[in-house]
Amino acid sequence: MSNRLIKNKTCVVVGASHAGVNCAFALRREGWDGDIILYDADPLLPYHRPPLSKAYLTSDDGIDKNLLKSAESYDKEGISLNLGVSVKAIDRTHKNIILGDGSVQSYDKLVVATGARPIIPSIPGLANSNNAIPLRTATDVANIRHAVKNSNKKLVVVIGGGYIGLETAASLKKLGAKVTVLEREERILARVTAPEMSAFFQNLHLENGVEICTNKNVIAIETNNGEKIVCCDDGTCYPTDIIIIGVGIFVNKELAMAAGLDIENGIKVDETAKTNDEDIYAIGDCTFHYNPHYGRYIRLESVQNAVDQAKVAATSICGKETRYDTIPWFWSDQYDVKLQMVGLSQGYDQVIVRKENNDNKCLSFWYFKGEILLAVDAVNNAKAYVYGTKLIKSGERINKEKLLDCEEDLKIAHLISPINS
C-alpha cells in the first residue's frame, strides 16, 4: 500500500498496553501517514506490566517511572491517545466503533488489542472481603502497597501458584510480609512446566520463608472477630490480612465476539494478525494465532508476543509483506533468581536437567519430544537461554549425552550431533 493510499486514512487501536502502543508507533515507522487513534479504559498513561509483580511492587515509584512512552512521544508522532475511554461496540458494516458515551469514531483499519482481565473466582465471602486484590494493573499494585503498609500483622495469602502468584509472593516477602501460597493443583506451575522445575521453585520459596501449600482448593473466606480466614476443602484454614488473587485470566474477547469476529480460545488471526474481517486486526494476549514453528494455533500471554504481533500488524496494515514467525520467550524474576524461558514445552516426553559446575542456582531444563528440542528454561544461565534459542530455531539434533555431562562446558558446537549419528 503506497503512502498515497494511506494518507487521510484512520487507524483506530482499541487497547493501549504493550500491543496497542507498540502497534501505533510501528504504524508511523512503517509509513502510515493518516490518523492513529488509541483508546484505553485505564486512565493512566500506558505503562510496562511485567514489573508490576516484581520491582515496581517493591518500590515507591509512581507510574511515571514505568511508562511505555512519554506523553510527549504520542504528540511527537501525531498519535491521539484517549485514556479512561471505553469502547462498547464495533460496527463492521459502517466501519466505526461506538464509545462508552455513545459517540462514534470511524476507521479505515481497526486493531483490537483488548488484552485480558484477572479471573475473580466465585468463592463465598471473597467479593465482600476487603483487601482481596488481583494483580493486573498499576491501580492493583497501589492497592496492594497500601494494604501491606497499613497492615499490622502483614499476613498475606496468595491464591494461585502460577508465575504471577509466585512473583508477587517473592515481592511481598521483600516488603516484610508473612506469605502463604495456596495452589489447587498437586504442584505449583503445574500447567506450564516440568515437575523438576516446580520442585526448584517450591524449594526456592521455602528457603526464603514463603509457605507453599499444594492441593489446596479454597472454598470460602470467613470473618471471625474482624479477622479474615481462608478456608480450604480439606478443612485447613489460614488467617490473613490480605488476599492476593492470582488464579488466571479471562481473554477480553466480548467486543470482538459481538462484532462477529472468529473466536477460538481468543480472537483468531492469521499470520499477519488479521481477523476474518479484512480491515480488522487483533494483537496481544487476546489473540489465538498460528505459529509456523510449532505447526499449531496458540495463545500467549507475554510482552514478546504483544510487541512482535504489533510490528507484524503494523507492517501488514501498511501494505508490506510480513508474517508472524517467532519463537516465544518469557521471563520471571523471583528473589535472586532470573528465569529465562524460550519455546513451548507442551507435548514434551523428556526433560534433561543440567547444573553448571554443580551450582544449584545455575541450571537449565531442556524439553524434548523425541529428538526435537521444544523449549529451554534457564535459571541464572543466560548462555543456556541463548544456545537454546539458536538450537530451537535451527532444529539441529542435539547430543543429549553431552548435554547431560555437566563437567563439559556448555558450548553449542559440542551439543550438535552429526546428521548421520
Side-chain angles (χ1 to χ4, degrees), residues 32-49:
W32 184 271
D33 288 340
D35 292 336
I36 301 173
I37 306 174
L38 265 171
Y39 292 99
D40 199 284
D42 194 324
L44 300 176
L45 275 171
Y47 47 85
H48 290 277
R49 290 185 182 268

Side-chain angles (χ1 to χ4, degrees), residues 11 14 45 49 96 107 122 138 146 225 236 305 359 366 403:
C11 184
V14 180
L45 275 171
R49 290 185 182 268
N96 59 46
Y107 66 83
S122 55
H146 181 266
N225 294 324
T236 55
N305 177 62
D359 185 348
W366 300 67
L403 179 62

Side-chain angles (χ1 to χ4, degrees), residues 11-27:
C11 184
V12 171
V13 182
V14 180
S17 190
H18 289 87
V21 168
N22 277 280
C23 185
F25 282 84
L27 280 165

Side-chain angles (χ1 to χ4, degrees), residues 200 203-205 207-208 334-339 354-365 378-381:
F200 171 83
N203 290 333
L204 176 68
H205 281 270
E207 289 170 2
N208 283 276
Q334 298 173 45
Y335 309 108
D336 59 346
V337 164
K338 174 171 279 296
L339 170 64
R354 178 186 169 93
K355 294 180 182 179
E356 303 301 330
N357 300 316
N358 293 316
D359 185 348
N360 289 328
K361 290 289 180 68
C362 182
L363 63 162
S364 52
F365 301 75
V379 176
N380 292 333
N381 194 336

Side-chain angles (χ1 to χ4, degrees), residues 345-358:
S345 63
Q346 290 93 331
Y348 75 91
D349 54 28
Q350 181 185 13
V351 59
I352 291 177
V353 182
R354 178 186 169 93
K355 294 180 182 179
E356 303 301 330
N357 300 316
N358 293 316

Side-chain angles (χ1 to χ4, degrees), residues 100-400:
D101 63 2
S103 60
V104 173
Q105 171 62 56
S106 63
Y107 66 83
D108 294 287
K109 298 291 183 180
L110 176 66
V111 180
V112 180
T114 45
R117 62 188 183 276
I119 294 172
I120 307 299
S122 55
I123 299 169
L126 182 64
N128 299 322
S129 179
N130 64 327
N131 288 345
I133 312 166
L135 201 160
R136 184 74 183 179
T137 69
T139 299
D140 293 334
V141 174
N143 290 336
I144 293 171
R145 285 176 177 173
H146 181 266
V148 172
K149 184 178 181 180
N150 290 279
S151 169
N152 291 325
K153 295 181 180 179
K154 289 183 171 48
L155 295 177
V156 179
V157 166
V158 178
I159 302 177
Y163 283 116
I164 290 296
L166 296 179
E167 289 169 359
T168 304
S171 296
L172 290 173
K173 188 65 182 177
K174 289 182 181 180
L175 292 177
K178 183 178 181 181
V179 185
T180 301
V181 176
L182 303 180
E183 169 55 48
R184 184 174 61 181
E185 304 295 332
E186 64 180 11
R187 59 186 176 90
I188 56 174
L189 304 171
R191 287 172 289 182
V192 294
T193 196
E196 294 89 343
M197 182 70 117
S198 296
F200 171 83
F201 275 102
Q202 174 132 355
N203 290 333
L204 176 68
H205 281 270
L206 291 175
E207 289 170 2
N208 283 276
V210 170
E211 184 178 6
I212 302 281
C213 303
T214 56
N215 293 306
K216 296 295 181 180
N217 183 34
V218 178
I219 58 171
I221 310 297
E222 298 179 354
T223 302
N224 184 12
N225 294 324
E227 181 181 59
K228 283 194 292 292
I229 301 172
V230 179
C231 305
C232 299
D233 63 0
D234 62 357
T236 55
C237 295
Y238 300 86
T240 187
D241 303 316
I242 304 160
I243 300 170
I244 305 298
I245 306 163
V247 298
I249 59 97
F250 280 125
V251 174
N252 292 327
K253 60 182 183 292
E254 292 83 359
L255 190 67
M257 184 183 296
L261 300 179
D262 286 347
I263 304 294
E264 186 181 342
N265 191 25
I267 306 170
K268 194 170 184 180
V269 297
D270 67 11
E271 60 188 6
T272 69
K274 188 186 298 179
T275 69
N276 55 302
D277 186 311
E278 285 291 313
D279 295 314
I280 302 180
Y281 291 71
I283 55 178
D285 291 5
C286 65
T287 65
F288 190 55
H289 64 276
Y290 186 77
N291 187 291
H293 183 83
Y294 291 96
R296 59 187 170 90
Y297 278 85
I298 58 178
R299 188 177 60 77
L300 298 174
E301 300 159 29
S302 74
V303 170
Q304 166 268 317
N305 177 62
V307 173
D308 287 346
Q309 275 195 316
K311 293 175 182 176
V312 167
T315 302
S316 180
I317 288 169
C318 291
K320 303 174 184 179
E321 282 198 22
T322 185
R323 72 175 189 142
Y324 184 95
D325 187 10
T326 304
I327 305 298
W329 54 265
F330 317 83
W331 80 93
S332 178
D333 294 327
Q334 298 173 45
Y335 309 108
D336 59 346
V337 164
K338 174 171 279 296
L339 170 64
Q340 295 170 286
M341 301 161 275
V342 60
L344 301 174
S345 63
Q346 290 93 331
Y348 75 91
D349 54 28
Q350 181 185 13
V351 59
I352 291 177
V353 182
R354 178 186 169 93
K355 294 180 182 179
E356 303 301 330
N357 300 316
N358 293 316
D359 185 348
N360 289 328
K361 290 289 180 68
C362 182
L363 63 162
S364 52
F365 301 75
W366 300 67
Y367 299 83
F368 291 87
K369 184 176 183 179
E371 299 302 316
I372 299 172
L373 178 64
L374 297 177
V376 176
D377 295 343
V379 176
N380 292 333
N381 194 336
K383 183 186 286 188
Y385 171 76
V386 171
Y387 287 176
T389 301
K390 291 179 179 178
L391 289 166
I392 292 170
K393 287 181 178 179
S394 71
E396 292 175 285
R397 185 175 173 179
I398 296 172
N399 187 319
K400 294 180 182 178

